[in-house]
């Protein structure tokens, strides 16, 4: 299954094809891409053909000998696009498989639904803006920033209305934080269900948010002494709203207008959203139009009928805000089979809503024995942390797991431990240890151990 | 008093010292309570138009009223196409009635009658988000009527001509009112962090490939919905 890197037989230097015109080059790219994907599908062992996320780079695409040494490839000879060809750049066409995907049967409509970040194809801890998973309750609000207004009212000295221009004139902070949906891994409570890390763990993204600390804005309206709760309300067609205790607002909450150096994407709340580091993503209200200060929580639809954790005895936990420590191996994974015997790299992500990641452990035998993984700098609080480890694959079945411990001492639990406390009806806050089975062909499957 | 000063005071009295310290560290970067003379006062008309929420105790409930009988007529026109004529929920749209005594079962059905703790939440959600795609088009009276109808089909009120209003919405007691408990995490923690020869089950008892509901596979759908 190794991708060939053999030296050519003879020393003869083949001529590359005729100089491609601009359109010829595009056609070439198109054909090349199609061929690459086709070969990828065929090359991966049974059941994997056409699997979303199969990568031409790693799944056995054949190189064109005319481009290999001792030949000089055409891109090494002829002019490429000039600087104005792509005013806003896009990924290489060879990376077209790296996209958000959704699961149609999950929801009645795409406007009230979710899609998934392709974490199997990402590197480092920063998620590119166009790949950050989306969760909408009434579709994306398309807001012209000129028409944007943020109102703050309720138990305040002076209710106020701010424009986005006002918001941009406040002092700003920039912080890297993960945003995880409380339902991430929620389809896996009863058993291994979705065969891909994008689907099991992709309701997460991590970007550098820039905005105004919420407490700076609250200082402008003067919160009354009995103002102990906030209600953040979205400007979308669901008017999505959540109650937030004022302690969080005064601690590390941000009203963010930018992500990864540019203004927010529409689907992520343009032009302003709430950022509540470490807390469930549903509370990070997008297209925020209003904050009300009150003395009690509101018990909105999203914090009663949804985002409450039903236990085995029929009682449900409410206001389950923090995201507990969690980790997952993003390669190998079902989308990234093991292609080579010998040394293989394990990579993955770990995070905790309660602070920094302290350790990540990796097992190749289903959790009987563990080794310490290397954590990649920087290790930031309430932020994704990359980890790496190695294992030697000899063609036998392997059960891969990762387990993290955060700086509070919290240990990522097994699914069995979670189920003993919470049963199987919770939907939300499944941060259990994930198992990938590497079978004898190198395919990787999502499995449940028992 | 600035919010920072209040946090420090509250932090000490409420015992949330770590939060207070966090804010104090933050204050080295940004001056607490500094006025920036940005934004303008909101007018009473603006607030009245945008402040559409209400609370479980009925606080801030808009003035109005409606009966279950009136609500049924509106429901058939505005709601039944998705939620079904009987509230049974078409396709994957939410089911609006039933589900009693299912919460502790293997197949819990969460409806206003079986799960929602407050009637105010029904009014608030319908008022701000329904009908789906035509939010904030229902009047306050229509919303009271629809809420009354949903209470009626869930046996929360018995009288078809029951009048729900801003005066009594805070008094409605929902069947699952006592069904919610505070967050008690962290939980499910091991006594020690085992690193070798750990006593764990390593037999494969479930495989996602067998369940076969991953996109790009041709499979039946048999799963938990997130919405």
């Amino acid at each position: 299954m190794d991708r060939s890197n053999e030296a050519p037989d003879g020393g003869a230097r083949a001529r590359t094809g005729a100089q491609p015109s601009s359109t010829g080059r595009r056609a070439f790219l198109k054909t090349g891409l199609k061929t690459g994907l086709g070969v990828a599908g065929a090359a991966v062992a049974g059941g994997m053909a056409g699997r979303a996320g199969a990568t031409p780079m790693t799944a056995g695409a054949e190189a064109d000998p005319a481009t290999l040494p001792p030949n000089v490839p055409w891109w090494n000879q002829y002019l490429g696009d000039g600087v104005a060809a792509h005013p806003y750049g896009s990924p290489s066409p060879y990376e077209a498989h790296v996209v958000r995907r959704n699961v149609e049967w999950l929801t009645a409509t795409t406007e009230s639904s979710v899609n998934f970040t392709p974490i199997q194809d990402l590197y480092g801890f920063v998620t590119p803006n166009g790949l950050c998973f989306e969760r909408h309750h009434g579709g994306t609000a398309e807001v012209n920033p000129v028409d944007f207004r943020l109102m703050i009212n309720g138990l305040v000295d002076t209710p106020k209305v701010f424009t986005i221009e006002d918001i941009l004139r406040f002092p700003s902070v920039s912080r890297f934080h993960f945003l995880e949906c409380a339902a991430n891994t929620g389809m896996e409570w009863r058993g291994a269900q979705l065969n891909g890390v994008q689907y099991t763990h992709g309701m997460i993204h991590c970007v550098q948010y820039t905005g105004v600390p919420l407490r700076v804005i609250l200082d402008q309206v003067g919160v009354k002494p009995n103002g102990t709760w906030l209600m953040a309300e979205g400007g979308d067609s669901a008017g999505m709203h959540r109650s937030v205790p004022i302690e969080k607002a005064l601690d590390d909450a941000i009203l963010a207008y930018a992500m990864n150096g540019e203004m927010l994407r529409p689907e992520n709340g343009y032009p302003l959203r709430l950022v509540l580091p470490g807390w469930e993503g549903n509370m990070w209200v997008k297209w925020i139009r209003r904050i009300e200060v009150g003395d009690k929580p509101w018990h909105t639809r999203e914090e009663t009928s949804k985002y409450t954790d039903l236990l085995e005895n029929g009682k449900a936990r409410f206001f389950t805000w923090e995201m507990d420590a969690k980790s997952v191996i993003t390669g190998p994974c079902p989308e990234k089979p093991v292609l080579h015997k010998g040394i293989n790299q394990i990579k993955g992500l770990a995070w905790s809503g309660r602070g920094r990641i302290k350790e990540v452990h990796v097992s190749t035998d289903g959790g009987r024995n563990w080794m310490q993984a290397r954590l990649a700098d920087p290790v930031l609080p309430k932020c994704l942390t990359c980890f790496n480890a190695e294992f030697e694959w000899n063609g036998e079945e392997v059960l891969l797991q990762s387990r993290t411990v955060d700086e509070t001492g919290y240990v990522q639990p097994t699914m069995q431990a979670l189920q003993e406390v919470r049963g199987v009806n919770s939907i939300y806050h499944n941060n259990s240890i994930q198992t990938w089975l590497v079978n004898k062909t190198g395919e990787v499957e999502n499995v449940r151990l028992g | 008093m600035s919010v920072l000063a209040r946090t420090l005071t509250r932090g000490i009295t409420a015992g949330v010292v770590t939060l207070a310290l966090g804010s104090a560290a933050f204050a080295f970067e940004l001056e607490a309570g500094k006025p920036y003379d940005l934004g303008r006062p909101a007018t009473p008309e603006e607030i009245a138009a945008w402040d559409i929420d209400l609370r479980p105790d009925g606080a801030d409930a808009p003035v109005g009223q409606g009966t279950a009988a009136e609500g049924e007529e509106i429901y058939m026109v505005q709601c039944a196409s998705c939620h079904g004529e009987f509230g049974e929920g078409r396709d994957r749209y939410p089911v609006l009635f039933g589900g009693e005594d299912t919460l502790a079962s293997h197949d819990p059905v969460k409806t206003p009658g079986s799960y929602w703790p407050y009637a105010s939440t029904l009014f608030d959600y319908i008022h701000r988000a329904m009908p789906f795609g035509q939010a904030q088009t229902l009047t306050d009276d229509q919303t009271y009527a629809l809420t009354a109808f949903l209470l009626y089909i869930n046996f929360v009120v018995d009288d078809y001509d029951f009048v729900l209003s801003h005066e009594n919405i805070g008094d409605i007691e929902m069947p699952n009112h006592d069904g919610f408990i505070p967050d008690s995490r962290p939980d499910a923690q091991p006594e020690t962090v085992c690193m070798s020869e750990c006593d764990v089950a390593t037999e494969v008892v479930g495989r996602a490939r067998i369940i076969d509901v991953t996109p790009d596979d041709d499979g039946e759908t048999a799963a938990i919905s997130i919405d």
Side-chain angles (χ1 to χ4, degrees), chain A residues 7 31 147 174 219 237 239 257 268 286 304 340 379 396 409:
Chain A
T31 316
D147 301 328
S174 293
D219 273 341
S237 76
Y257 41 77
N268 297 110
K286 300 190 280 190
T304 54
H340 311 277
V379 178
E396 293 299 305

Side-chain angles (χ1 to χ4, degrees), chain A residues 249-303:
Chain A
L250 304 182
D251 178 21
D252 58 1
I254 300 168
L255 279 174
Y257 41 77
M259 56 200 287
N260 289 337
E262 62 181 3
M263 289 296 279
L264 297 173
R265 292 288 171 91
E267 63 268 36
N268 297 110
Y270 181 89
L272 197 67
R273 83 173 305 167
L274 185 57
V275 168
L276 298 177
W279 287 19
E280 62 186 17
N282 179 258
M283 303 176 77
W284 300 36
V285 171
K286 300 190 280 190
W287 317 285
I288 188 168
R289 74 159 196 171
R290 196 168 65 91
I291 295 172
E292 183 169 337
V293 180
D295 58 0
K296 289 179 187 170
W298 280 258
H299 294 289
T300 71
R301 186 240 196 191
E302 304 299 320
E303 60 202 24

